[in-house]
Amino acid sequence: MTFQGGSGRSDRIRDLFDELVGLAPEERTAHLAEACGDDEELRREVESLLEAADARGSGVWRALEALQPSEEADGKRSAPSGPGEIPAELQVALAERYTVVREIGRGGMATVYLA
């Protein structure tokens, strides 16, 4: 089955990634080949996402995990930094490639920084 462009393609990439990310590498290869058929671009895109997921030990992933809200003793969840603060873990993790300048915005799902 081949998906072309549009949000259907991105949904397919996300679905395949979700299916494969929990599998052992040797299981992924066969499943990916069957799911992608002759769509080499789809296979490459999913493989790229899987490689990034496998690199979770990198500083960027550690920083992103550190930025997740933590549960306090009273059961409430709190953000690790206040508005406008740049978390030290993020600065350290990105230091080789970026200088984090400032927070641009914050919402329910993300905080965006200028780097």
Side-chain angles (χ1 to χ4, degrees):
M1 181 170 6
T2 302
F3 293 82
Q4 300 295 326
S7 65
R9 184 170 185 82
S10 61
D11 289 344
R12 180 66 177 146
I13 291 168
R14 185 177 27 254
D15 290 345
L16 276 174
F17 172 81
D18 289 343
E19 289 173 26
L20 297 169
V21 72
L23 298 179
E26 58 275 5
E27 294 176 282
R28 288 178 183 171
T29 304
H31 187 85
L32 189 58
E34 181 181 330
C36 295
D38 60 353
D39 190 340
E40 289 297 313
E41 183 180 349
L42 176 63
R43 183 187 53 77
R44 282 192 302 272
E45 289 180 55
V46 175
E47 284 176 336
S48 175
L49 291 172
L50 291 168
E51 288 172 15
D54 289 343
R56 285 186 61 99
S58 73
V60 172
W61 283 106
R62 285 192 306 274
L64 291 174
E65 288 171 354
L67 295 174
Q68 296 298 314
S70 59
E71 192 164 311
E72 309 231 349
D74 61 6
K76 294 181 181 174
R77 296 191 59 82
S78 66
S81 65
E85 294 178 33
I86 301 170
E89 296 90 349
L90 182 64
Q91 291 176 324
V92 169
L94 300 177
E96 284 186 31
R97 300 187 80 188
Y98 301 98
T99 301
V100 181
V101 178
R102 65 180 170 85
E103 182 179 310
I104 294 174
R106 182 181 292 241
M109 299 289 288
T111 302
V112 179
Y113 297 93
L114 173 65

